[in-house]
Amino acid sequence: LETTLSPQAEVFEALQQLHMTVFSQSVSPCGKFLAAGNNYGQIAIFSLSAALSSEAKEESKKPMVTFHAHDGPVYSMVSTDRHLLSAGDGEVKGWLWAEILKKGCKELWRRQPPYRTSLEVPEINALLLIPKENSLILAGGDCQLHSMDLETGTFTRALRGHTDYIHCLALRERSPEVLSGGEDGAVRLWDLRTAKEVQTIEVYKHEECSRPHNGRWIGCLATDSDWMVCGGGPALTLWHLRSSTPTTVFPIRAPQKHVTFYQDLILSAGQGCYVNHWQLSGELKAQVPGSSPGLLSLSLNQQPAAPECKVLTAAGNSCRVDVFTNLGYRAFSLSF
Amino acid sequence: TGLSDHEVIRKRLLIDGDGAGDDRRINLLVKSFIKWCNSGSQEEGYSQYQRMLSTLSQCEFSMGKTLLVYDMNLREMENYEKIYKEIECSIAGAHEKIAECKKQILQAKRIRKNRQEYDALAKVIQHHPDRHETLKELEALGKELEHLSHIKESVEDKLELRRKQFHVLLSTIHELQQTLENDEKLSEVEDAQETIMEADPKP
């Protein structure tokens, strides 16, 4: 059912698609759907199972439903076993996955962390789920990490220490500790039980990885308990956390905006259209081109309920979300 | 009647399946039997009899062939069933092997990851000097430090002694100077008194 738009509206829509940036992605708990959030505040829900099936047509690569979620860009999304949480313009909203495919879906709840002044509404750049505590960590423009209890919706702690806004969060499951990286160039480790900063790594101070011409900002962070990989202004580097030593610097000039550990590899993406596959030794195993000129987020669908939808999806400075069925090549792209 | 027609056609097709004209032959046999019964001469009857026998043997041959083909088909069916089952088994076996190999791949990847983590740390550790060497160096430096501080102490003691001796010397000189000055002053005063007494003698 296509409603015919006036030529002006068509042009507007085309322009919108051209200037779209997809900032965040999240896989549904059943593993069959993918949510993507863009800079216009919209969230689109794609059916991965339909797009991956053998009878997929061009319409299967379009969203099943697109709705207006936030007034500003949707910078970050995570999924619990029943809800989709989205954040961007200073508020975090919760949506029910079971209801989200219905038209006119409304948010279940919306919360705003206690900001220091009522005037500032800093953006929320990163969300992190702490399953053991059933809480959510939010971090962004006000340089603090706020933790919110998911059952009651109350904000329990505010972790202060960063001197500039925070870009990314990661969870170190064994301790449990939260790692945060930000514009001030430091990766800080916080112990959740004592709500204190237990370790600070000032990445830009280390000669091996600092790149002053790019700045000191930490754009992406991932951790594998004893190890941490981070990048951004400084080079993408692998760190041994306990000794705070950088062990491997990955030789790529472009600042990386998303990084994750996967099996025995590290996957990273950023400026440039490639998804880079690294071995821990620093060797580049593969560089797979995507369809966007720059990538901002990677998502690996490892939900056990849908092994047939186990894909890597990458999105960034375009209206498309690339789907890699076998990590080695781009199978096709979903599009807003 | 439509049904029986269908049945008839079906039966005829079944009977005369291979189209070799067996049906026709049997009809011909019936006709030739009647002809043989109605044959006049002995010769004619004999030749007709021979003809009938050859037709019969042809029919028997064709029937034998059909039976053999039927047997063969049955055996081939059995063979195919067997092969089909074997293939099913090997497919199931291959599936299991694939699952096993996938597990092995995951294990191998884990091992590779651990090795690479080990290598990364080892590289960093290599940059740092060996602990024994450093300890030896520390010991040597410690000894040197001790030795030097001994020397420093003894030099300071010497300096102190010299200083004291000089102090004694200087203070003695000073005292002597004072004594000499006092003596001079005393002798000057005495001289002065003498001259006064000489100038003004007592009457």
Side-chain angles (χ1 to χ4, degrees):
Chain A
L1 291 164
E2 279 215 21
T3 53
T4 47
L5 301 160
S6 71
Q8 272 178 327
E10 270 187 40
V11 168
F12 180 73
E13 214 183 271
L15 277 175
Q16 235 195 10
Q17 295 276 87
L18 201 61
H19 293 288
M20 193 181 294
T21 305
V22 176
F23 281 107
S24 52
Q25 304 173 58
S26 183
V27 175
S28 66
C30 64
K32 298 207 170 85
F33 299 98
L34 178 73
N38 69 12
N39 54 331
Y40 301 122
Q42 299 170 318
I43 293 181
I45 310 288
F46 297 91
S47 168
L48 281 175
S49 48
L52 288 166
S53 76
S54 41
E55 301 110 38
K57 298 164 287 230
E58 276 312 300
E59 300 98 66
S60 326
K61 301 188 183 145
K62 286 273 168 194
M64 299 197 68
V65 62
T66 309
F67 56 92
H68 192 83
H70 288 266
D71 292 329
V74 184
Y75 286 125
S76 179
M77 293 197 290
V78 287
S79 289
T80 64
D81 53 357
R82 284 172 60 225
H83 298 99
L84 172 68
L85 309 173
S86 65
D89 55 351
E91 280 186 325
V92 58
K93 296 191 182 177
W95 315 78
L96 252 188
W97 268 110
E99 303 280 315
I100 214 164
L101 288 173
K102 305 188 185 159
K103 273 225 147 174
C105 173
K106 283 254 177 282
E107 74 253 13
L108 263 188
W109 48 260
R110 64 163 81 175
R111 308 279 303 139
Q112 200 181 72
Y115 293 124
R116 274 180 283 219
T117 68
S118 54
L119 295 165
E120 68 176 71
V121 185
E123 73 282 7
I124 297 175
N125 286 329
L127 296 173
L128 183 69
L129 277 174
I130 315 283
K132 280 198 191 141
E133 286 186 356
N134 195 25
S135 69
L136 177 73
I137 308 266
L138 306 90
D142 71 340
C143 317
Q144 297 178 66
L145 282 91
H146 295 273
S147 97
M148 181 185 101
D149 181 273
L150 280 171
E151 220 175 292
T152 62
T154 50
F155 287 93
T156 49
R157 0 168 161 80
L159 301 170
R160 293 190 193 100
H162 275 282
T163 56
D164 210 340
Y165 54 93
I166 300 168
H167 281 295
C168 44
L169 297 169
L171 177 65
R172 195 179 179 191
E173 288 197 24
R174 258 193 261 161
S175 310
E177 284 168 7
V178 173
L179 285 83
S180 59
E183 192 73 15
D184 61 358
V187 172
R188 296 177 199 273
L189 281 82
W190 312 85
D191 182 323
L192 289 172
R193 275 168 295 174
T194 60
K196 285 215 167 53
E197 190 176 329
V198 291
Q199 198 178 348
T200 312
I201 298 178
E202 288 178 298
V203 179
Y204 63 95
K205 286 196 177 159
H206 290 253
E207 256 187 311
E208 306 97 313
C209 49
S210 85
R211 300 191 295 198
H213 53 275
N214 277 344
R216 42 166 91 166
W217 51 278
I218 303 293
C220 58
L221 195 52
T223 180
D224 193 18
S225 276
D226 287 328
W227 300 82
M228 183 239 333
V229 59
C230 67
L236 188 69
T237 319
L238 180 68
W239 293 76
H240 184 241
L241 279 173
R242 254 191 282 166
S243 55
S244 290
T245 46
T247 61
T248 323
V249 176
F250 297 99
I252 182 166
R253 276 222 206 115
Q256 303 293 290
K257 308 268 177 74
H258 192 111
V259 69
T260 182
F261 283 91
Y262 175 62
Q263 292 184 343
D264 64 333
L265 296 175
I266 290 175
L267 306 176
S268 79
Q271 223 175 63
C273 58
Y274 300 103
V275 176
N276 305 294
H277 301 220
W278 305 97
Q279 293 194 329
L280 271 79
S281 57
E283 274 174 60
L284 181 62
K285 185 175 170 212
Q287 208 171 37
V288 188
S291 70
S292 312
L295 290 170
L296 293 170
S297 85
L298 295 174
S299 165
L300 264 167
N301 181 359
Q302 300 187 78
Q303 295 289 15
E308 72 280 4
C309 295
K310 181 172 178 184
V311 292
L312 170 73
T313 46
N317 296 334
S318 77
C319 58
R320 289 175 296 278
V321 177
D322 297 330
V323 179
F324 300 80
T325 46
N326 166 339
L327 261 56
Y329 69 96
R330 177 181 72 94
F332 58 87
S333 296
L334 305 164
S335 172
F336 261 79
Chain B
T1 46
L3 205 63
S4 67
D5 265 355
H6 177 76
E7 282 298 306
V8 165
I9 292 173
R10 196 160 165 266
K11 280 229 170 94
R12 291 201 74 158
L13 281 173
L14 280 176
I15 292 168
D16 201 14
D18 57 350
D22 280 334
D23 198 37
R24 189 168 55 91
R25 240 184 250 139
I26 292 177
N27 286 340
L28 237 63
L29 198 62
V30 173
K31 286 198 191 119
S32 52
F33 181 75
I34 294 173
K35 235 197 250 176
W36 179 63
C37 292
N38 295 338
S39 64
S41 65
Q42 183 87 321
E43 257 177 51
E44 222 188 295
Y46 188 69
S47 63
Q48 193 68 355
Y49 175 69
Q50 292 294 341
R51 247 181 259 139
M52 282 204 300
L53 278 181
S54 79
T55 317
L56 263 177
S57 62
Q58 273 180 358
C59 288
E60 274 177 9
F61 176 71
S62 142
M63 190 174 94
K65 202 166 74 169
T66 312
L67 277 174
L68 283 174
V69 167
Y70 173 71
D71 257 347
M72 177 193 84
N73 282 340
L74 280 179
R75 275 208 294 266
E76 207 159 322
M77 274 291 288
E78 265 176 42
N79 193 25
Y80 280 143
E81 288 279 347
K82 191 171 72 153
I83 293 177
Y84 184 75
K85 281 207 184 78
E86 273 174 26
I87 290 179
E88 263 189 0
C89 277
S90 54
I91 286 179
H95 272 305
E96 271 174 38
K97 261 196 224 155
I98 286 177
E100 190 59 43
C101 284
K102 278 195 181 157
K103 266 191 234 158
Q104 282 182 351
I105 283 184
L106 276 179
Q107 178 70 345
K109 280 190 177 168
R110 243 176 275 148
I111 291 177
R112 193 210 284 186
K113 182 175 179 187
N114 287 340
R115 270 210 205 115
Q116 289 186 330
E117 285 179 2
Y118 174 86
D119 279 339
L121 268 180
K123 244 196 266 178
V124 174
I125 290 175
Q126 290 285 64
H127 279 292
H128 293 249
D130 191 8
R131 203 201 307 177
H132 289 292
E133 303 251 340
T134 318
L135 281 174
K136 269 195 223 154
E137 272 178 33
L138 273 172
E139 242 188 272
L141 280 173
K143 283 210 185 104
E144 219 188 302
L145 206 68
E146 245 186 86
H147 180 67
L148 287 172
S149 67
H150 278 310
I151 293 177
K152 182 174 165 201
E153 260 184 64
S154 61
V155 164
E156 276 183 352
D157 286 341
K158 231 195 245 178
L159 195 67
E160 198 55 42
L161 189 66
R162 297 271 186 287
R163 214 183 269 143
K164 283 192 189 140
Q165 287 176 335
F166 263 109
H167 185 75
V168 166
L169 182 67
L170 283 173
S171 53
T172 317
I173 290 176
H174 193 72
E175 262 183 55
L176 185 63
Q177 215 170 29
Q178 283 281 29
T179 318
L180 286 173
E181 274 179 14
N182 284 348
D183 281 348
E184 243 186 71
K185 274 200 194 133
L186 224 66
S187 65
E188 268 179 16
V189 166
E190 276 181 20
D191 279 345
Q193 273 191 351
E194 268 190 38
T195 51
I196 288 174
M197 283 190 72
E198 276 177 10
D200 192 19
K202 261 194 173 149

